[in-house]
Amino acid sequence: MYRQQRGFFLFIFLFFVVIFLEKCSQGHGESVGTKLELIHRHHFRRNQANGMQPMTQLERLRQLLHSDTIRQRSISERLRLQKSRRQVLESPDATYYHPACTNSSRRANHDNVSGEMAMYSGADFGTGQYFVSFKVGSPARRFMLIADTGSDLTWMNCKYRCHGDKCRKKSRKRRVFRADHSSSFVTVPCSSRMCKIELANLFSLARCPSPHTPCAYDYRYSDGSSALGIFANETVTFGLTNGTKVRIHNVLVGCSESSTGQSFQGADGVMGLGYSNYSFALKAAEKFGGKFSYCLVDHLSPQNVSSYLIFGSLESEDYVTTLNRMQHTELVLGIINPFYAVNIKGISIGSIMLKIPAEVWNVNGVGGAILDSGSSLTFLTQPAYQPVMAALKLSLMSFTKLKLDIPQLEFCFNSTGFDESLVPRLVFHFADGARFVPPVKSYIIDVAAGAKCLGFVPATWPGASVIGNIMQQNHIWEFDLANNRLSFGSSSCT
């Protein structure tokens, strides 16, 4: 009798332990969070793993600038179109919506307006420079995706209803998600409102041979890369910092059965971290308290130093160590989608505020500034670029100017005898008083042995300035999407 009672109580105890662990893994993702390693595209571990020949520092920079230039051109065009569209909609003569429509069901009656915007999704900016591990499906499978704050669709190489030897042969040279093998993979019907209207900005296609045919997309990038496939809802699995796991259900993903272009070399797809209704950033942030963050180390860091992408509040976990007090400023959302904009007041160099017109920083006008992890260099529109370059060049006039085959960079010099203390500090001043002071190595960059360049690239005006990932290095950046707040502080990212 005693043994039976002991066995019964042991069973009850184990039952509640299992229930407790299940609750921890599914119900408390909001307070725990997850930390994912980010690997730079040029990190030699990736190059080694993919059999690529290592590039010189100068070759890497040229490649990054090529991608940056294409991306910046598309950002400027996107901004121009958004400003034009807003002016049209704010016009007193605009009659685009029927007065009986509710906010949730409004749809533009003029195809020339909505159609034009649909051609410039986050995909049009090209892909980013960092890779992150991603577990999707039931059972979960791991893929290496490009993490990009300028993309709004998360997709991976995928096969849907693929059978036989032909399927296996096509999949042999790359990791492919087999949708038919996942019990949680549910396609979006092409006849649904979601496909016809809500996913229009993600390049959903109009073809619909039958009501239950999956909603298809043809996602084009400005560098000529593309991804074709179908939309579906899936389950994504995260390992939490407390050792448990959490599953996020009904995440919109793309099952790309075909992808082409240099952007995806070495990657299995793209993780969309841009700000839009269906981006992975918003879905994951909802689970983890409305916040995500990243900390980027120097591109040339040794292999034992990693960059990180974090979902969850930095206040609840010791994810990274900050070297000084975190600062806070407004995060401007929904103005230059899918990017994250900020309100800059001005730039000072050596404690002297430069004469830059206020309209250069006006996100509601024809200017503005964004933080972009997918751009490497920092692009300043001409009214800001000229005074910044002039002020910095004054401290470098004693160094011999070099002519390097990098047309985008105006001022390069022989760095023999260079010391950072010779350069006055550059500061980005935000409208609400916060100050971002990047390290000197983030704007006077190494390009080759014995050679450095001023790491600013001119951008067309009117247009948006872009604070790239090199300028953001050695800082932690927290994006609080629920409260429209950006927090940042200097950090070694350890």
Side-chain angles (χ1 to χ4, degrees), residues 160-424:
Y160 175 68
R161 292 185 176 174
C162 181
H163 306 285
D165 293 338
K166 185 177 180 181
C167 179
R168 283 191 289 272
K169 287 178 182 178
K170 286 185 176 180
S171 304
R172 193 173 294 162
K173 293 183 179 180
R174 58 177 185 168
R175 277 174 298 208
V176 174
F177 179 66
R178 294 294 300 274
D180 294 339
H181 295 178
S182 174
S183 60
S184 51
F185 185 86
V186 181
T187 60
V188 175
C190 63
S191 58
S192 65
R193 172 188 173 84
M194 183 176 179
C195 180
K196 293 179 178 178
I197 300 175
E198 296 171 24
L199 297 180
N201 281 343
L202 295 182
F203 291 98
S204 61
L205 301 179
R207 66 170 184 254
C208 191
S210 69
H212 298 292
T213 299
C215 181
Y217 60 81
D218 183 354
Y219 211 62
R220 299 282 172 160
Y221 293 80
S222 57
D223 64 356
S225 302
S226 66
L228 289 82
I230 59 172
F231 291 106
N233 287 305
E234 250 296 8
T235 295
V236 175
T237 302
F238 278 118
L240 301 182
T241 52
N242 64 2
T244 61
K245 294 181 179 179
V246 66
R247 294 177 178 85
I248 305 179
H249 303 287
N250 298 317
V251 176
L252 182 74
V253 298
C255 171
S256 291
E257 301 193 80
S258 172
S259 61
T260 60
Q262 292 297 313
S263 293
F264 313 131
Q265 191 173 38
D268 303 317
V270 174
M271 178 187 285
L273 296 176
Y275 185 77
S276 71
N277 290 337
Y278 291 102
S279 83
F280 184 71
L282 265 69
K283 188 71 175 181
E286 285 175 7
K287 186 69 177 178
F288 298 106
K291 299 176 181 179
F292 79 94
S293 53
Y294 55 73
C295 197
L296 308 177
V297 298
D298 193 322
H299 289 183
L300 302 177
S301 293
Q303 68 170 351
N304 61 340
V305 181
S306 296
S307 298
Y308 288 101
L309 171 66
I310 299 161
F311 290 99
S313 175
L314 295 175
E315 297 173 358
S316 62
E317 297 279 344
D318 293 328
Y319 290 118
V320 293
T321 302
T322 54
L323 304 179
N324 53 21
R325 182 177 59 86
M326 292 283 282
Q327 297 192 66
H328 313 282
T329 189
E330 180 187 2
L331 183 62
V332 183
L333 303 173
I335 300 296
I336 310 177
N337 282 345
F339 291 97
Y340 299 97
V342 288
N343 279 317
I344 290 179
K345 179 183 179 181
I347 295 176
S348 67
I349 294 180
S351 302
I352 299 174
M353 191 68 76
L354 302 180
K355 293 182 179 180
I356 301 172
E359 61 182 347
V360 167
W361 310 118
N362 185 3
V363 295
N364 293 306
V366 293
I370 63 173
L371 284 170
D372 183 25
S373 68
S375 295
S376 296
L377 277 293
T378 290
F379 285 71
L380 297 176
T381 54
Q382 286 290 350
Y385 174 81
Q386 296 294 347
V388 166
M389 291 293 288
L392 289 174
K393 282 192 285 188
L394 283 176
S395 63
L396 302 171
M397 297 309 293
S398 61
F399 294 92
T400 303
K401 189 173 180 180
L402 297 177
K403 280 195 171 184
L404 301 177
D405 186 20
I406 317 175
Q408 298 94 332
L409 298 182
E410 175 187 332
F411 189 86
C412 298
F413 61 95
N414 185 320
S415 58
T416 303
F418 174 80
D419 188 278
E420 289 187 355
S421 63
L422 300 172
V423 182

Side-chain angles (χ1 to χ4, degrees), residues 66-79:
H66 174 72
S67 300
D68 281 1
T69 302
I70 294 171
R71 192 175 177 97
Q72 175 63 26
R73 198 159 47 231
S74 296
I75 291 171
S76 297
E77 180 64 8
R78 171 76 172 208
L79 180 65

Side-chain angles (χ1 to χ4, degrees), residues 85 88-89 93-98 106-118:
R85 183 172 183 264
V88 170
L89 295 178
D93 299 323
T95 55
Y96 292 99
Y97 302 115
H98 192 279
R106 283 182 174 179
R107 184 180 180 185
N109 292 323
H110 292 265
D111 292 336
N112 62 328
V113 176
S114 59
E116 186 179 32
M117 291 307 298

